[in-house]
Amino acid sequence: HSTPKTTIVIFGATGDLAKRKLFPSIFNLYQAGKLSEEFAVVGLARREWSNFTLREVVNESISSANDDLIEKFCKHFYYLPFDVTRNDSYINLDKLLKEVEDVYGIPGNRIFYMSTSPEFFGTIASNLKAHQLTETKGWTRLIIEKPFGRDAASAEQLNNEISQAFSEDEIYRIDHYLGKDMVQNIEVIRFANSIFEPLWNNHYISNVQITLSETLGVEDRGGYYDTSGAMRDMVQNHVLQLVSLLAMDPPIRLTPEEVRHEKIKVLRALKPVATDNASEYFVRGQYIPGIMNDQEVPGYRSEESVSPKSITETFVAGKLQIENHRWTGVPFYIRTGKRLESKTTKVIIEFKNMPLNLYFNGEKDTSNLLSINIQPVEGITLLLNGKKEGTSGEAVPVQLDYNNKNDDISSTPEAYERLIYNCLLGDATNFAHSDEVLLSWKYVDPILKAWQSDKVEIAEYESGTMGPKASDDLLAKDGNHWWPVN
Ligand code: BG6
């Protein structure tokens, strides 16, 4: 499909995200012939840049040997210095958009991409409405970056603000994990294979383990991260999205409404964790110095812009329970953190053991495992048991792999490419619905509340490990253990 003629308006065009992800993604779509020739990108930010400066930056952000194509591409970019609080900024934007739409014959289709600091999201939306920038002959859509609020109350308020200018089906809330190929593949693996779907429930599955581990520390984002922490940064969004994709019932149709409806049902079935007994289900940790790649790395509290007394968590492990017919009794264990041993995103489904262990001589770890490898390795691995060669009659694990290693460790540009493309086509399936966002916040809020005080222990973990011991203990209580992910 080539996409409809559209103008993409980027708020925060001088920022890091635009340069690292948005420009390269739009270029890739262009290069692949997926973008209509009649498109324009209008970049907005406070800085006094010109079209020329923006085009230079766009050019630098792209890696391609095709100079002619890059030059042609960059000509579609326009820049307007912009103050989100000033009326004249919106008046100028209105003028520029009309001019640009004239040049390319764009029938008023506009995507407004909010990639500024989240405190401006509301102001921008109400101003867009006030200056009638969303009233065109074509369609208008809003793409909004995370964080979407910092708790249920602020997310609800943000929803109210943006819904002045956009209806729910015009709002595309980014969760870039939903743009990853293997995340999108979860649905296909589950619902296109009759050998998995019948087993996908509490009759056959013992537990589910979701790991999103990172090796990086907080880098230069200490200021943001110290007020956020791993729960808000990763669990509320990416992790809960994975949980709902793994646990949802088959949708009756592949439409955004049907798919998101099924995901929402999972989030509604999550058993709430009360503030008082959060420690029973959730563990928080913070990294201390350690050796990674033969080099000593600093602890979290000595990172730039982080309080030396910070109790912000850089690691979370938790046990989630989904109370419905399919899942009651099956723990979903999750963990995520910075400065861990490896950069890995992986789901492991542990199937129940056979009732009688005939072949393994007392050994316990004989379960069938299905790993859904999301990154950097992409694919699936299935661990079965087979007969050991020879005469002993014993069994050994046999591993079936269907994987390809993605050299580009973080496949985020690709994820953004898919998501922007989906939005251009008006497909919101891989974006978070407001109900998903609110339900996720409602789930994590009581736990965050427990962590506000330093009474709940924050477990230290050495950089380069897989997190604090408390994370292992969490599974051990149930007689389970984390399966290795590397
Ligand atoms: C972002 C978080 O949403 O996801 C970052 O804000 C994190 O802290 C990143 O590093 C991880 O994304 P990916 O695609 O590299 O796994």
Side-chain angles (χ1 to χ4, degrees), residues 59-93:
N59 191 324
E60 280 165 23
S61 74
I62 296 166
S63 54
S64 159
N66 192 339
D67 290 337
D68 291 346
L69 194 71
I70 296 182
E71 208 188 310
K72 239 174 82 192
F73 175 73
C74 289
K75 289 206 177 115
H76 292 257
F77 281 71
Y78 300 82
Y79 185 81
L80 184 69
F82 199 86
D83 180 336
V84 294
T85 62
R86 288 179 61 112
N87 281 328
D88 53 355
S89 283
Y90 295 88
I91 295 168
N92 291 340
L93 176 60

Side-chain angles (χ1 to χ4, degrees), residues 384-448:
L384 303 173
N385 296 309
K387 187 186 156 302
K388 197 172 180 176
E389 247 179 36
T391 52
S392 73
E394 275 173 52
V396 284
V398 182
Q399 185 168 318
L400 302 186
D401 276 304
Y402 175 66
N403 287 309
N404 50 32
K405 176 143 168 87
N406 194 336
D407 288 336
D408 169 17
I409 291 247
S410 158
S411 49
T412 38
E414 240 193 276
Y416 271 89
E417 202 179 310
R418 283 197 199 94
L419 294 175
I420 293 171
Y421 183 61
N422 287 160
C423 178
L424 281 160
L425 293 175
D427 181 351
T429 312
N430 293 313
F431 293 83
H433 187 277
S434 68
D435 290 351
E436 293 175 72
V437 174
L438 290 178
L439 287 162
S440 310
W441 278 122
K442 284 188 180 143
Y443 182 74
V444 303
D445 275 355
I447 305 159
L448 285 168

Side-chain angles (χ1 to χ4, degrees), residues 146 176-177 180 214 221 233 238 338 343 375 412:
K146 59 167 280 206
H176 78 277
Y177 268 63
K180 293 182 191 282
E214 299 188 82
R221 294 162 77 225
D233 190 49
H238 311 319
K338 303 246 180 231
K343 169 78 186 167
Q375 60 183 11
T412 38

Side-chain angles (χ1 to χ4, degrees), residues 313-380:
E313 78 286 358
T314 61
F315 176 94
V316 176
K319 168 179 169 178
L320 285 73
Q321 292 165 288
I322 300 169
E323 295 202 298
N324 60 18
H325 270 233
R326 190 190 280 265
W327 293 117
T328 299
V330 181
F332 280 65
Y333 301 113
I334 60 109
R335 59 177 169 174
T336 182
K338 303 246 180 231
R339 285 283 189 237
L340 298 179
E341 191 186 327
S342 66
K343 169 78 186 167
T344 311
T345 307
K346 184 177 286 208
V347 176
I348 296 182
I349 315 284
E350 177 180 338
F351 290 89
K352 289 189 173 168
N353 276 322
M354 296 303 275
L356 193 59
N357 179 352
L358 292 172
Y359 304 102
F360 280 95
N361 244 339
E363 215 183 292
K364 283 200 206 94
D365 279 353
T366 60
S367 321
N368 292 133
L369 302 179
L370 172 68
S371 315
I372 303 180
N373 307 318
I374 294 169
Q375 60 183 11
V377 175
E378 299 185 335
I380 56 178

Side-chain angles (χ1 to χ4, degrees), residues 16 150 216-230 233 286-287 298-314 338-339:
D16 200 43
R150 55 176 286 110
L216 293 180
V218 288
E219 309 298 290
D220 52 6
R221 294 162 77 225
Y224 149 76
Y225 196 87
D226 208 34
T227 61
S228 162
D233 190 49
Q286 195 184 64
Y287 61 82
Y300 178 67
R301 290 185 183 180
S302 22
E303 298 277 17
E304 207 186 301
S305 311
V306 168
S307 154
K309 291 188 188 141
S310 173
I311 53 163
T312 300
E313 78 286 358
T314 61
K338 303 246 180 231
R339 285 283 189 237

Side-chain angles (χ1 to χ4, degrees), residues 273-280 446 450:
V273 174
T275 302
D276 290 346
N277 60 357
S279 312
E280 212 176 300

Side-chain angles (χ1 to χ4, degrees), residues 83-299:
D83 180 336
V84 294
T85 62
R86 288 179 61 112
N87 281 328
D88 53 355
S89 283
Y90 295 88
I91 295 168
N92 291 340
L93 176 60
D94 186 42
K95 234 175 79 204
L96 178 59
L97 284 175
K98 284 175 180 153
E99 275 168 31
V100 163
E101 286 170 351
D102 245 18
V103 172
Y104 296 98
I106 296 170
N109 298 332
R110 296 175 181 173
I111 292 180
F112 296 95
Y113 198 122
M114 287 194 200
S115 144
T116 59
S117 164
E119 68 204 83
F120 300 128
F121 293 167
T123 313
I124 297 173
S126 51
N127 275 300
L128 288 177
K129 168 82 178 168
H131 292 89
Q132 300 174 335
L133 285 156
T134 49
E135 281 159 44
T136 70
K137 291 213 181 74
W139 45 255
T140 54
R141 291 175 193 147
L142 170 70
I143 302 186
I144 183 162
E145 273 294 332
K146 59 167 280 206
F148 199 91
R150 55 176 286 110
D151 52 25
S154 54
E156 209 153 357
Q157 192 192 336
L158 178 54
N159 260 338
N160 292 339
E161 286 169 353
I162 59 178
S163 59
Q164 293 169 27
F166 299 92
S167 61
E168 178 62 28
D169 61 3
E170 293 171 333
I171 300 173
Y172 292 69
R173 295 176 193 77
I174 289 261
D175 184 313
H176 78 277
Y177 268 63
L178 295 180
K180 293 182 191 282
D181 205 36
M182 277 308 296
V183 172
Q184 298 186 356
N185 205 348
I186 291 175
E187 232 182 272
V188 184
I189 292 167
R190 290 193 49 200
F191 303 133
N193 291 300
S194 63
I195 62 165
F196 292 133
E197 185 46 26
L199 308 184
W200 214 264
N201 55 51
N202 46 15
H203 297 289
Y204 298 101
I205 291 179
S206 152
N207 67 84
V208 176
Q209 306 187 0
I210 303 174
T211 301
L212 280 68
S213 68
E214 299 188 82
T215 49
L216 293 180
V218 288
E219 309 298 290
D220 52 6
R221 294 162 77 225
Y224 149 76
Y225 196 87
D226 208 34
T227 61
S228 162
M231 186 70 111
R232 290 190 172 90
D233 190 49
M234 300 291 281
V235 179
Q236 180 272 334
N237 39 44
H238 311 319
V239 172
L240 287 175
Q241 282 291 336
L242 289 176
V243 169
S244 53
L245 286 168
L246 289 161
M248 70 194 250
D249 282 344
I252 53 171
R253 239 171 253 111
L254 289 181
T255 60
E257 297 74 35
E258 296 300 344
V259 172
R260 297 198 295 184
H261 178 70
E262 294 303 339
K263 289 168 66 190
I264 289 166
K265 272 168 56 193
V266 173
L267 297 170
R268 286 175 53 199
L270 280 177
K271 183 174 176 191
V273 174
T275 302
D276 290 346
N277 60 357
S279 312
E280 212 176 300
Y281 297 98
F282 276 82
V283 168
R284 61 170 170 172
Q286 195 184 64
Y287 61 82
I288 58 171
I291 308 283
M292 295 183 73
N293 278 331
D294 299 329
Q295 283 201 347
E296 161 108 16
V297 296

